[in-house]
Amino acid sequence: MAAFAAWLGAAVIVLSDGRRGLALGLALITVAFTLLAWMGGERIAAVALLFGGAVAVVQRLRTGLDVWRVMPPGSTPRLVLAIGGGLLALWIATSVMTGAGAPLRFAALGVVGLMGSRVLMADIKPAAVLTSLAALALSVAVASGMADTGLGPSPYIAAAVIALGISLIKVQDTNGG
Amino acid sequence: MEPELAIGLPAAGSVWAAVLQARPRAAFAGAAALGLSGLAVVVISTPGRSSEQLGITFSLSSESRSLLIAAAAALALVVALAPMSVERTLLLRWGLAGLAGMAAIGAATSLDTVILTVLVLAVLQAASVGSRPFTTRMRGPVLAAALLALAAAFARNDGPPILARLAGVGLVAGLSAALGTLPYIHQFDPAERTVTSPIPWIAFIGPVLALTVLTRARDLVPTEGAAFGAMMIGLGLLNMLWGSLASWTTEGGAAAWHYSFMADWGLALCGFGLAVADGERAALLVLYSILLSRLPLYLWSRQSLREKRPNDRPINLLAAAMLAGSAPFAGFAARVLLLRGATQLYSPLALVIGLGLLLWLPPSLRLGRSVGLPRGRQAWGVGGALAINVVIGLYPQPFLSLAGL
């Protein structure tokens, strides 16, 4: 369930332009990653993810267009990307890759892939880029949990700090903001 | 805690310069002192020694350390001898931020730390005022971070052999996206300030980033060394061809410089892809040359490019000779080592690379002319860059030994 929640959060970020939609997507990803880290025995990492993600969500709710704007007109390619990307990540995580930890793999691959694709979209706004970056940072930390030699909570803490820091950045209007 | 200090001191210098921007002299003096302290720590550090003071394991390799020293020297050169129109404190502030990021990348023992550092550097650079939109500036580095993260995930999981190959493709593609060594990955605006343009990625942060990603790649996909090397050589040849031809034929002078960095990266990628000692030595010499000569010359040519004042004096011919990699400059030694390495691996490859090297001549003459007639500090700077390049070209062994080669 947590892995699917992470994918759903990434899909909402892909489909949204308004701050409420973006914040909802980031909140879903934060909660899902927190649960996955907690279930993996990384308690400190889970707390760090929750803190960093929660601050980023609150900051996102305070800046940008005060609307949902989930699936605005012309969102069909984004919808296809969200569903197609999720199915591809699910197939790779469960059928191509073997061994334990399929939920973690699905969540990490799905969020990394969708957030990377989101930033490449032509009509993206700075708020969506910053939200995608925060989610990408958190997913990089979660993906580090797949390493044979555990890296401990440090990548999670670093990612949480980065997500928090990114959410505080004000992009200036003069450069396209 | 040498690696932590190597990261922290330049970062503190950058923050100091940003906080005290209302008092330029104090900002410059403090930032320079902190930056020099960071350089001193890197110089006296013991390569390979691990440190875990911040909970993250850091360890500076000989190669990363040598490129960090070269990058710091390049920064010192361009800040000390910056053209009059350039604000030195601003240059130092951004240079130190980049140096701190490079130290973090070079000392990282896991690819995840490298990816997170790339994200931080990308956001810091893109959030500052520049002529390209924030969203455009973020595309290359974010694509790089996503590809590297996917590659790491593929490499770390069990499955069919295709997973390891996909991981190799992701690592090469991610590295290429970060550096901007594929056409159109990083949009280039000739009028943009250098610090916010794609130039720092390809010419300043790039060398340490490439070296670290390649080192981590060898750990992540040890069984795919041949395929990885073949991809690097292919990408290198593409960059040699595209970069040199585009640098020759493009209309804009600044764009020609940008393409020339891509062409030089072609040599470095071929060198790394050969996976023989001579290839690595050649790649390292090319990276030294990018950091210590091509990047400073680009910065000093900016004013002449803006004023459209090309020149044909002896200094311009010397600069052209250096950029073309002729003897006795460092590029010549790098090319000889590269051809020797390619001959060891597969002699027809040496022929292809040898023919490709001829493409450096026309764009180098053009770039040499674009330096204009250097005067004052700029003349000292151009002279210094040429002298450093001659020293590396005539006696490269100390510089290679510094990198443990």
Side-chain angles (χ1 to χ4, degrees):
Chain A
M1 280 301 288
F4 277 102
W7 165 76
L8 186 63
V12 171
I13 292 176
V14 168
L15 292 169
S16 301
D17 284 336
R19 71 188 191 193
R20 292 185 206 164
L22 294 170
L24 174 66
L26 190 56
L28 280 168
I29 290 173
T30 302
V31 171
F33 282 168
T34 302
L35 286 173
L36 284 169
W38 189 274
M39 287 187 291
E42 293 279 2
R43 303 288 162 89
I44 298 172
V47 173
L49 286 177
L50 185 62
F51 178 71
V55 174
V57 168
V58 171
Q59 279 297 115
R60 178 53 46 228
L61 276 172
R62 292 175 58 191
T63 49
L65 295 170
D66 188 14
V67 286
W68 285 96
R69 287 196 74 179
V70 179
M71 289 185 68
S75 294
T76 310
R78 295 198 216 176
L79 188 63
V80 172
L81 172 71
I83 295 171
L87 287 174
L88 184 65
L90 186 64
W91 175 64
I92 293 172
T94 56
S95 300
V96 180
M97 294 173 173
T98 53
L104 181 70
R105 291 197 295 261
F106 170 52
L109 289 176
V111 176
V112 169
L114 288 178
M115 293 303 94
S117 311
R118 179 72 173 110
V119 175
L120 294 180
M121 287 176 180
D123 56 345
I124 190 168
K125 300 284 185 291
V129 174
L130 292 171
T131 310
S132 304
L133 283 175
L136 184 61
L138 296 179
S139 62
V140 167
V142 169
S144 75
M146 297 177 201
D148 290 337
T149 51
L151 300 171
S154 52
Y156 298 85
I157 296 169
V161 171
I162 290 169
L164 191 155
I166 286 172
S167 69
L168 297 174
I169 283 179
K170 299 273 187 289
V171 178
Q172 303 193 21
D173 290 331
T174 47
N175 60 354
Chain B
M1 60 185 292
E2 289 159 352
E4 287 85 352
L5 284 174
I7 300 164
L9 288 170
S14 180
V15 172
W16 175 277
V19 170
L20 290 182
Q21 51 184 315
R23 298 174 63 193
R25 283 190 180 177
F28 185 83
L34 287 163
L36 288 172
S37 308
L39 173 61
V41 169
V42 174
V43 170
I44 61 167
S45 66
T46 311
R49 183 187 283 176
S50 296
S51 176
E52 209 175 333
Q53 299 292 321
L54 299 175
I56 301 174
T57 309
F58 286 114
S59 173
L60 262 180
S61 68
S62 304
E63 288 173 316
S64 298
R65 179 172 159 263
S66 68
L67 285 179
L68 269 177
I69 294 170
L75 179 64
L77 190 67
V78 296
V79 169
L81 302 170
M84 298 303 281
S85 57
V86 173
E87 197 185 333
R88 290 203 287 185
T89 309
L90 191 72
L91 200 59
L92 182 63
R93 181 176 127 199
W94 284 106
L96 288 176
L99 212 55
M102 289 161 72
I105 289 169
T109 53
S110 83
L111 193 60
D112 312 291
T113 312
V114 175
I115 297 167
L116 291 173
T117 311
V118 166
L119 282 179
V120 172
L121 288 173
V123 172
L124 286 177
Q125 193 205 27
S128 61
V129 178
S131 56
R132 290 174 305 145
F134 171 79
T135 51
T136 305
R137 283 192 274 170
M138 285 306 300
R139 276 186 197 136
V142 171
L143 177 64
L147 286 170
L148 291 173
L150 289 174
F154 283 159
R156 285 169 177 160
N157 282 286
D158 297 328
I162 189 76
L163 272 185
R165 290 193 185 162
L166 283 174
V169 172
L171 287 165
V172 174
L175 178 60
S176 185
L179 299 175
T181 53
L182 274 180
Y184 310 118
I185 288 255
H186 288 207
Q187 188 189 337
F188 183 74
D189 178 359
E192 191 172 11
R193 285 183 308 165
T194 304
V195 289
T196 56
S197 75
I199 294 295
W201 287 100
I202 199 166
F204 191 61
I205 296 163
V208 172
L209 177 64
L211 202 64
T212 309
V213 169
L214 293 175
T215 309
R216 299 279 76 82
R218 284 179 199 135
D219 300 337
L220 282 169
V221 282
T223 55
E224 297 299 326
F228 195 75
M231 279 188 282
M232 297 286 287
I233 291 171
L235 187 63
L237 290 174
L238 182 71
N239 272 283
M240 282 169 62
L241 190 69
W242 177 277
S244 50
L245 285 178
S247 177
W248 182 8
T249 56
T250 191
E251 277 186 27
W257 276 96
H258 182 227
Y259 285 120
S260 80
F261 283 109
M262 283 171 60
D264 263 18
W265 265 104
L267 292 177
L269 293 173
C270 277
F272 283 126
L274 292 175
V276 295
D278 281 338
E280 282 201 31
R281 289 191 190 113
L284 201 75
L285 288 181
V286 172
L287 297 183
Y288 276 135
S289 186
I290 288 176
L291 280 168
L292 289 165
S293 301
R294 193 172 287 268
L295 175 62
L297 280 186
Y298 167 70
L299 290 170
W300 290 315
S301 72
R302 298 271 296 167
Q303 194 173 348
S304 164
L305 284 168
R306 270 194 297 270
E307 295 167 1
K308 294 190 169 40
R309 282 187 306 156
N311 217 305
D312 286 319
R313 305 236 171 180
I315 188 79
N316 302 95
L317 282 176
L318 275 175
M322 189 214 77
L323 295 168
S326 64
F329 293 100
F332 184 74
R335 282 160 175 78
V336 170
L337 286 167
L338 186 66
L339 289 173
R340 205 164 72 177
T343 310
Q344 288 169 38
L345 191 75
Y346 182 57
S347 52
L349 178 62
L351 185 67
V352 173
I353 293 175
L355 288 173
L357 293 179
L358 296 175
L359 293 172
W360 258 257
L361 288 172
S364 298
L365 284 168
R366 174 190 183 176
L367 297 178
R369 292 182 74 226
S370 75
V371 174
L373 180 61
R375 291 181 191 281
R377 285 200 305 222
Q378 196 184 352
W380 282 103
V382 172
L386 291 173
I388 292 169
N389 210 278
V390 168
V391 170
I392 298 174
L394 287 176
Y395 195 39
Q397 194 50 51
F399 298 90
L400 295 172
S401 301
L402 186 67
L405 294 172

